[in-house]
Amino acid sequence: MIGISLAKKMVAEMGMGMSMRAGSSGYLEMHPERKITFFQNPYIVGITFAAGLGGLLFGYDTGVVSGALLYIKEDFELVRNSSFIQEVIVGMALIGAIFGAAIGGVINDHLGRKTATIIADICFGAGSVIMGLAGNPYVIIFGRFLVGLGVGSASVTAPVYIAEVSPSEIRGGLVSANTLMITAGQFLSFIVNYGLTRVPGTWRWMLGLSGFPAVLQFVLISFLPESPRWLYMKNRREEAILVLSKIYSSPRLEDEIKILDDLLLQEPESKASVKYTDVFTNKEIRVAFTFGAGLQALQQFAGISIIMYYSPTIIQMAGFKSNQSALFLSLIVSGMNAAGTILGIYLIDLAGRKKLALGSLSGVLVSLIILSTSCYLMGHGNTGQTLGWIAILGLALYILFFAPGMGPVPWTVNSEIYPEEYRGLCGGMSATVNWICSVIMSTSFLSVVDAIGLGESFIILLVVSVIAIVFVIFLMPETKGLTFEEVAYIWKERAYGRDKTTASLAEKEALSS
């Protein structure tokens, strides 16, 4: 742990017998009785669930279109005859998410995590009603854009909100629970898709049902508190302490309050003057954002949007032609996605973010070798169902390996690597990068397949996965168990060097412990 390990060493060398200062990971090593386990506090679990409903909506609205598209094509000749219109229907929610993420970051910082969630729910609800009643493809596209605004805002708000109410020792698992809600939403969308295959107005029900979770979250969020760290940032100390008192018990409560009091005294001016240009002119913020946005980009360029949005189409390309068969096999793949995410929740605070990402990408690489090889052979005159089943195996393995690691890790890391005053802004900007890359992948996939073939398209994803592995090995720090303040030391050191920052910060901590 950069900086913090140095601080501990200095304390030991100076012979100080005092306990490690609150606000460092060593604090909980010295006071293990003050640790909070995953299900110990129902209040934290309740906030995680309510905030995570945004993830459920995120997953449902991005996943449901894969099945709905099969039936929209049957109802509208324009859609059936144009790969471009199909890509627009899929991609418009992602375009909306770009704007939602950018605007959501600003709303998070100025109006709070709670207000941002409420606005997202309104977008979800309005978009679902419009899509369910749509009379032509263009109205569907407009409804998808509104839903996308909600998806983008939720993708920023939920991880930050959960991270800021989470004790550091279980923060990774709780933020990953939001990713579980996303994959659960995608799984639910495939269940709904498969269950509605013989219902009149199939795609209308598929797209319209997303309004119900939005209403549920709107009601629940009304009873939730604002993030205590945001309240502190806005000088609403008493409200923040009330929230903290429901998360921590004494004596840790007093220690956590002291940490936030110190932060409030340290940077009052910077909290009041944060702006977009700071992300590029402030060296340590730029270094953190470059890594965070790069990780988000690689998550998408590794192909997850393609796999989730087009899995029924890919399955049909692999030789399973009926809508029902394609949706049923996609349901199994989506179920593996949710199961893999549950594994990720357990591993992210145990193995750490970096090891989990590397293991995930290594499995993705093997999966894409299987998938690209089988699809390449099918595309070059080799027929038979065996290759089709091998392609399905590659598809399933891709999800099984991607879900525990590269699914939750980019969102978790981006919720914890930025300083308090930049967390909403940078989180929104990095999520915007994610959605831009998602749009690029989802709106170009069918066209790329038409141009070069399905197997060749997966070879491109394979190359990206190799690049992602190199990126993680050389640029990703381990943030497991670190407090927000400790993570900030990492970027200070990378930006300015240890002599100028880490040593002085460590010395300050050692002397104050």
Side-chain angles (χ1 to χ4, degrees):
M1 300 175 188
I2 299 173
I4 304 308
S5 58
L6 180 58
K8 294 178 186 177
K9 182 179 178 181
M10 291 176 67
V11 170
E13 289 175 350
M14 293 169 67
M16 293 185 177
M18 304 176 191
S19 61
M20 185 65 65
R21 176 181 174 270
S24 73
S25 51
Y27 168 76
L28 290 176
E29 293 174 13
M30 296 294 292
H31 302 285
E33 74 282 358
R34 298 179 189 177
K35 287 184 178 180
I36 297 176
T37 57
F38 204 83
F39 294 105
Q40 182 178 338
N41 189 326
Y43 185 73
I44 301 173
V45 175
I47 290 177
T48 301
F49 172 76
L53 282 173
L56 184 77
L57 286 161
F58 172 168
Y60 184 88
D61 282 309
T62 55
V64 73
V65 71
S66 63
L69 189 61
L70 301 179
Y71 295 93
I72 293 171
K73 288 190 292 186
E74 292 181 355
D75 282 4
F76 298 109
E77 185 179 356
L78 174 65
V79 180
R80 185 166 59 252
N81 295 333
S82 173
S83 292
F84 174 73
I85 294 295
Q86 294 174 41
E87 288 172 338
V88 171
I89 290 174
V90 172
M92 189 52 66
L94 308 180
I95 292 172
I98 293 172
F99 292 96
I103 297 168
V106 176
I107 293 173
N108 265 273
D109 281 340
H110 287 83
L111 301 180
R113 301 11 172 171
K114 183 173 179 177
T115 301
T117 303
I118 290 172
I119 293 173
D121 287 333
I122 293 171
C123 292
F124 279 126
S128 64
V129 171
I130 289 171
M131 289 188 297
L133 299 176
N136 62 66
Y138 301 107
V139 177
I140 297 175
I141 290 170
F142 176 66
R144 291 279 293 165
F145 179 78
L146 285 180
V147 163
L149 290 176
V151 167
S153 181
S155 71
V156 177
T157 306
V160 170
Y161 189 11
I162 294 170
E164 291 186 341
V165 299
S166 302
S168 60
E169 62 269 30
I170 55 172
R171 186 176 62 231
L174 289 172
V175 176
S176 295
N178 179 64
T179 307
L180 173 61
M181 295 292 273
I182 295 172
T183 57
Q186 291 169 336
F187 182 54
L188 176 63
S189 73
F190 282 101
I191 292 176
V192 170
N193 285 349
Y194 185 70
L196 293 175
T197 52
R198 302 184 187 280
V199 175
T202 302
W203 62 267
R204 296 183 185 278
W205 286 105
M206 290 176 177
L207 298 176
L209 284 173
S210 63
F212 290 102
V215 172
L216 176 60
Q217 187 182 49
F218 185 91
V219 172
L220 291 177
I221 206 72
S222 301
F223 298 97
L224 290 180
E226 185 50 80
S227 156
R229 282 182 170 260
W230 184 86
L231 290 170
Y232 251 88
M233 190 170 67
K234 297 300 180 181
N235 294 309
R236 292 160 60 177
R237 184 176 183 274
E238 296 304 318
E239 294 175 64
I241 291 174
L242 181 62
V243 178
L244 289 171
S245 67
K246 297 179 181 179
I247 300 172
Y248 303 102
S249 57
S250 294
R252 187 171 174 184
L253 172 62
E254 288 74 17
D255 293 333
E256 295 290 337
I257 293 171
K258 179 66 165 57
I259 295 167
L260 294 180
D261 281 338
D262 289 345
L263 287 175
L264 197 63
L265 290 173
Q266 286 170 11
E267 301 183 69
E269 294 181 5
S270 63
K271 288 179 170 62
S273 59
V274 170
K275 47 188 182 295
Y276 276 106
T277 55
D278 294 344
V279 179
F280 306 101
T281 58
N282 184 313
K283 192 173 181 181
E284 66 188 82
I285 304 301
R286 183 172 70 246
V287 171
F289 174 72
T290 300
F291 166 73
L295 193 62
Q296 291 281 33
L298 288 170
Q299 183 199 59
Q300 291 302 320
F301 286 142
I304 186 59
S305 290
I306 289 172
I307 299 299
M308 291 311 302
Y309 302 157
Y310 291 105
S311 59
T313 303
I314 293 168
I315 288 169
Q316 288 184 331
M317 290 178 179
F320 301 87
K321 297 299 183 182
S322 77
N323 288 353
Q324 286 80 10
S325 296
L327 288 174
F328 179 73
L329 290 171
S330 296
L331 174 62
I332 295 174
V333 170
S334 181
M336 295 176 71
N337 191 23
T341 306
I342 294 173
L343 178 63
I345 292 174
Y346 172 73
L347 291 176
I348 197 164
D349 283 318
L350 182 66
R353 285 69 158 142
K354 187 168 185 173
K355 288 181 181 178
L356 190 57
L358 284 174
S360 175
L361 285 167
S362 299
V364 165
L365 187 64
V366 173
S367 307
L368 286 171
I369 291 172
I370 296 171
L371 189 56
S372 61
T373 302
S374 57
C375 290
Y376 180 86
L377 292 173
M378 283 188 289
H380 289 77
N382 295 276
T383 58
Q385 216 170 31
T386 300
L387 283 175
W389 282 111
I390 292 174
I392 298 298
L393 173 64
L395 198 66
L397 287 175
Y398 177 99
I399 288 295
L400 194 61
F401 281 106
F402 190 97
M406 283 302 288
V409 167
W411 296 106
T412 300
V413 168
N414 272 276
S415 73
E416 61 190 8
I417 62 173
Y418 307 115
E420 180 68 38
E421 64 272 22
Y422 289 95
R423 195 163 297 136
L425 178 65
C426 290
M429 291 174 67
S430 64
T432 300
V433 170
N434 185 292
W435 290 114
I436 290 173
C437 296
S438 183
V439 168
I440 292 170
M441 299 300 287
S442 61
T443 57
S444 64
F445 175 66
L446 295 179
S447 299
V448 172
V449 170
D450 290 342
I452 66 173
L454 185 60
E456 290 83 348
S457 300
F458 285 127
I459 290 173
I460 295 174
L461 301 183
L462 192 156
V463 172
V464 172
S465 297
V466 173
I467 294 171
I469 289 173
V470 174
F471 179 90
V472 170
I473 289 173
F474 289 102
L475 296 179
M476 184 173 182
E478 181 53 72
T479 57
K480 179 186 80 168
L482 300 184
T483 65
F484 288 123
E485 292 68 42
E486 288 175 337
V487 175
Y489 297 166
I490 295 174
W491 305 114
K492 287 181 182 294
E493 180 184 271
R494 289 194 176 186
Y496 305 113
R498 176 170 295 184
D499 290 340
K500 294 182 179 179
T501 58
T502 308
S504 60
L505 286 167
E507 183 179 1
K508 181 180 177 181
E509 175 166 338
L511 293 174
S512 62
S513 56

